[in-house]
mmCIF file of all heavy atoms in Angstrom:
data_model
loop_
_atom_site.group_PDB
_atom_site.id
_atom_site.type_symbol
_atom_site.label_atom_id
_atom_site.label_comp_id
_atom_site.label_asym_id
_atom_site.label_seq_id
_atom_site.Cartn_x
_atom_site.Cartn_y
_atom_site.Cartn_z
ATOM 1 N N VAL A 162 -18.406 7.592 11.162
ATOM 2 C CA VAL A 162 -18.283 7.547 12.622
ATOM 3 C C VAL A 162 -18.134 6.109 13.102
ATOM 4 O O VAL A 162 -17.297 5.807 13.959
ATOM 5 C CB VAL A 162 -19.509 8.219 13.274
ATOM 6 C CG1 VAL A 162 -19.566 7.912 14.759
ATOM 7 C CG2 VAL A 162 -19.459 9.715 13.051
ATOM 8 N N LEU A 309 -20.161 7.334 24.862
ATOM 9 C CA LEU A 309 -19.266 8.481 24.708
ATOM 10 C C LEU A 309 -17.934 8.045 24.098
ATOM 11 O O LEU A 309 -17.366 8.736 23.250
ATOM 12 C CB LEU A 309 -19.028 9.142 26.067
ATOM 13 C CG LEU A 309 -18.283 10.482 26.057
ATOM 14 C CD1 LEU A 309 -19.038 11.514 25.234
ATOM 15 C CD2 LEU A 309 -18.068 10.978 27.488
ATOM 16 N N LEU A 312 -18.596 7.299 20.264
ATOM 17 C CA LEU A 312 -18.988 8.390 19.376
ATOM 18 C C LEU A 312 -18.211 9.679 19.603
ATOM 19 O O LEU A 312 -18.221 10.560 18.736
ATOM 20 C CB LEU A 312 -20.487 8.685 19.542
ATOM 21 C CG LEU A 312 -21.451 7.541 19.230
ATOM 22 C CD1 LEU A 312 -22.884 7.960 19.553
ATOM 23 C CD2 LEU A 312 -21.341 7.121 17.772
ATOM 24 N N GLY A 313 -17.564 9.826 20.752
ATOM 25 C CA GLY A 313 -16.891 11.066 21.070
ATOM 26 C C GLY A 313 -17.881 12.108 21.554
ATOM 27 O O GLY A 313 -19.101 11.955 21.401
ATOM 28 N N MET A 314 -17.381 13.191 22.137
ATOM 29 C CA MET A 314 -18.258 14.220 22.678
ATOM 30 C C MET A 314 -19.051 14.917 21.583
ATOM 31 O O MET A 314 -20.274 15.079 21.673
ATOM 32 C CB MET A 314 -17.433 15.250 23.467
ATOM 33 C CG MET A 314 -18.276 16.381 24.058
ATOM 34 S SD MET A 314 -19.565 15.786 25.196
ATOM 35 C CE MET A 314 -18.541 15.302 26.595
ATOM 36 N N ALA A 315 -18.372 15.348 20.515
ATOM 37 C CA ALA A 315 -19.071 16.030 19.426
ATOM 38 C C ALA A 315 -20.090 15.103 18.781
ATOM 39 O O ALA A 315 -21.217 15.515 18.478
ATOM 40 C CB ALA A 315 -18.068 16.521 18.388
ATOM 41 N N GLY A 316 -19.703 13.854 18.579
ATOM 42 C CA GLY A 316 -20.621 12.894 17.976
ATOM 43 C C GLY A 316 -21.823 12.617 18.852
ATOM 44 O O GLY A 316 -22.948 12.480 18.349
ATOM 45 N N THR A 317 -21.612 12.536 20.158
ATOM 46 C CA THR A 317 -22.715 12.274 21.081
ATOM 47 C C THR A 317 -23.714 13.424 21.065
ATOM 48 O O THR A 317 -24.936 13.209 21.052
ATOM 49 C CB THR A 317 -22.178 12.050 22.506
ATOM 50 O OG1 THR A 317 -21.276 10.932 22.508
ATOM 51 C CG2 THR A 317 -23.309 11.768 23.478
ATOM 52 N N LEU A 318 -23.212 14.665 21.055
ATOM 53 C CA LEU A 318 -24.108 15.823 21.028
ATOM 54 C C LEU A 318 -24.907 15.866 19.722
ATOM 55 O O LEU A 318 -26.118 16.144 19.719
ATOM 56 C CB LEU A 318 -23.306 17.109 21.205
ATOM 57 C CG LEU A 318 -22.641 17.294 22.578
ATOM 58 C CD1 LEU A 318 -21.779 18.544 22.599
ATOM 59 C CD2 LEU A 318 -23.691 17.347 23.685
ATOM 60 N N LEU A 319 -24.240 15.588 18.603
ATOM 61 C CA LEU A 319 -24.950 15.537 17.331
ATOM 62 C C LEU A 319 -25.985 14.420 17.331
ATOM 63 O O LEU A 319 -27.090 14.581 16.798
ATOM 64 C CB LEU A 319 -23.962 15.317 16.187
ATOM 65 C CG LEU A 319 -23.312 16.555 15.561
ATOM 66 C CD1 LEU A 319 -22.280 16.143 14.531
ATOM 67 C CD2 LEU A 319 -24.361 17.464 14.936
ATOM 68 N N ALA A 320 -25.627 13.271 17.925
ATOM 69 C CA ALA A 320 -26.541 12.127 17.937
ATOM 70 C C ALA A 320 -27.801 12.433 18.739
ATOM 71 O O ALA A 320 -28.897 11.982 18.378
ATOM 72 C CB ALA A 320 -25.833 10.899 18.506
ATOM 73 N N ILE A 321 -27.668 13.186 19.835
ATOM 74 C CA ILE A 321 -28.846 13.545 20.638
ATOM 75 C C ILE A 321 -29.830 14.356 19.796
ATOM 76 O O ILE A 321 -31.047 14.107 19.805
ATOM 77 C CB ILE A 321 -28.423 14.328 21.897
ATOM 78 C CG1 ILE A 321 -27.638 13.398 22.840
ATOM 79 C CG2 ILE A 321 -29.644 14.904 22.608
ATOM 80 C CD1 ILE A 321 -27.009 14.105 24.013
ATOM 81 N N TRP A 322 -29.301 15.328 19.074
ATOM 82 C CA TRP A 322 -30.152 16.094 18.171
ATOM 83 C C TRP A 322 -30.714 15.200 17.068
ATOM 84 O O TRP A 322 -31.888 15.274 16.698
ATOM 85 C CB TRP A 322 -29.359 17.263 17.578
ATOM 86 C CG TRP A 322 -30.178 18.127 16.648
ATOM 87 C CD1 TRP A 322 -31.512 18.432 16.758
ATOM 88 C CD2 TRP A 322 -29.720 18.801 15.474
ATOM 89 N NE1 TRP A 322 -31.908 19.250 15.726
ATOM 90 C CE2 TRP A 322 -30.825 19.500 14.922
ATOM 91 C CE3 TRP A 322 -28.480 18.902 14.843
ATOM 92 C CZ2 TRP A 322 -30.719 20.263 13.753
ATOM 93 C CZ3 TRP A 322 -28.380 19.673 13.699
ATOM 94 C CH2 TRP A 322 -29.479 20.347 13.166
ATOM 95 N N LEU A 370 -26.746 10.388 14.310
ATOM 96 C CA LEU A 370 -25.670 11.378 14.154
ATOM 97 C C LEU A 370 -25.570 11.823 12.696
ATOM 98 O O LEU A 370 -25.421 13.012 12.403
ATOM 99 C CB LEU A 370 -24.352 10.776 14.623
ATOM 100 C CG LEU A 370 -23.114 11.670 14.709
ATOM 101 C CD1 LEU A 370 -22.123 11.072 15.714
ATOM 102 C CD2 LEU A 370 -22.427 11.816 13.365
ATOM 103 N N ALA A 373 -28.269 14.281 11.830
ATOM 104 C CA ALA A 373 -27.972 15.623 12.331
ATOM 105 C C ALA A 373 -26.895 16.310 11.501
ATOM 106 O O ALA A 373 -27.007 17.494 11.170
ATOM 107 C CB ALA A 373 -27.547 15.539 13.798
ATOM 108 N N ALA A 374 -25.852 15.562 11.146
ATOM 109 C CA ALA A 374 -24.774 16.141 10.337
ATOM 110 C C ALA A 374 -25.296 16.560 8.970
ATOM 111 O O ALA A 374 -24.920 17.618 8.435
ATOM 112 C CB ALA A 374 -23.644 15.135 10.187
ATOM 113 N N ILE A 396 -17.492 19.039 8.951
ATOM 114 C CA ILE A 396 -18.297 18.515 10.060
ATOM 115 C C ILE A 396 -17.898 17.082 10.378
ATOM 116 O O ILE A 396 -17.664 16.718 11.544
ATOM 117 C CB ILE A 396 -19.797 18.592 9.710
ATOM 118 C CG1 ILE A 396 -20.242 20.053 9.600
ATOM 119 C CG2 ILE A 396 -20.625 17.866 10.759
ATOM 120 C CD1 ILE A 396 -21.620 20.210 9.003
ATOM 121 N N LEU A 397 -17.818 16.257 9.341
ATOM 122 C CA LEU A 397 -17.510 14.839 9.559
ATOM 123 C C LEU A 397 -16.085 14.635 10.062
ATOM 124 O O LEU A 397 -15.837 13.793 10.925
ATOM 125 C CB LEU A 397 -17.743 14.050 8.267
ATOM 126 C CG LEU A 397 -19.202 14.009 7.781
ATOM 127 C CD1 LEU A 397 -19.309 13.225 6.489
ATOM 128 C CD2 LEU A 397 -20.097 13.391 8.850
ATOM 129 N N ALA A 398 -15.159 15.425 9.536
ATOM 130 C CA ALA A 398 -13.772 15.307 10.003
ATOM 131 C C ALA A 398 -13.663 15.716 11.459
ATOM 132 O O ALA A 398 -12.911 15.111 12.236
ATOM 133 C CB ALA A 398 -12.854 16.159 9.135
ATOM 134 N N GLY A 399 -14.423 16.743 11.848
ATOM 135 C CA GLY A 399 -14.388 17.190 13.233
ATOM 136 C C GLY A 399 -14.876 16.141 14.207
ATOM 137 O O GLY A 399 -14.426 16.086 15.357
ATOM 138 N N VAL A 400 -15.780 15.293 13.744
ATOM 139 C CA VAL A 400 -16.289 14.220 14.595
ATOM 140 C C VAL A 400 -15.417 12.980 14.505
ATOM 141 O O VAL A 400 -15.074 12.357 15.517
ATOM 142 C CB VAL A 400 -17.739 13.868 14.207
ATOM 143 C CG1 VAL A 400 -18.222 12.652 14.989
ATOM 144 C CG2 VAL A 400 -18.659 15.056 14.454
ATOM 145 N N ALA A 401 -15.043 12.593 13.281
ATOM 146 C CA ALA A 401 -14.372 11.307 13.069
ATOM 147 C C ALA A 401 -12.877 11.332 13.361
ATOM 148 O O ALA A 401 -12.316 10.317 13.791
ATOM 149 C CB ALA A 401 -14.599 10.835 11.630
ATOM 150 N N PRO A 403 -10.976 12.778 15.777
ATOM 151 C CA PRO A 403 -10.602 12.386 17.151
ATOM 152 C C PRO A 403 -10.877 10.909 17.438
ATOM 153 O O PRO A 403 -10.118 10.278 18.184
ATOM 154 C CB PRO A 403 -11.492 13.289 18.025
ATOM 155 C CG PRO A 403 -11.871 14.429 17.150
ATOM 156 C CD PRO A 403 -11.976 13.868 15.777
ATOM 157 N N LEU A 404 -11.946 10.368 16.846
ATOM 158 C CA LEU A 404 -12.245 8.949 17.052
ATOM 159 C C LEU A 404 -11.160 8.072 16.435
ATOM 160 O O LEU A 404 -10.703 7.103 17.046
ATOM 161 C CB LEU A 404 -13.601 8.603 16.441
ATOM 162 C CG LEU A 404 -14.836 9.236 17.083
ATOM 163 C CD1 LEU A 404 -16.094 8.837 16.309
ATOM 164 C CD2 LEU A 404 -14.961 8.824 18.537
#
Side-chain angles (χ1 to χ4, degrees):
V162 167
L309 189 60
L312 300 175
M314 179 59 72
T317 301
L318 293 175
L319 273 175
I321 293 172
W322 181 35
L370 187 156
I396 294 169
L397 295 179
V400 174
L404 294 177

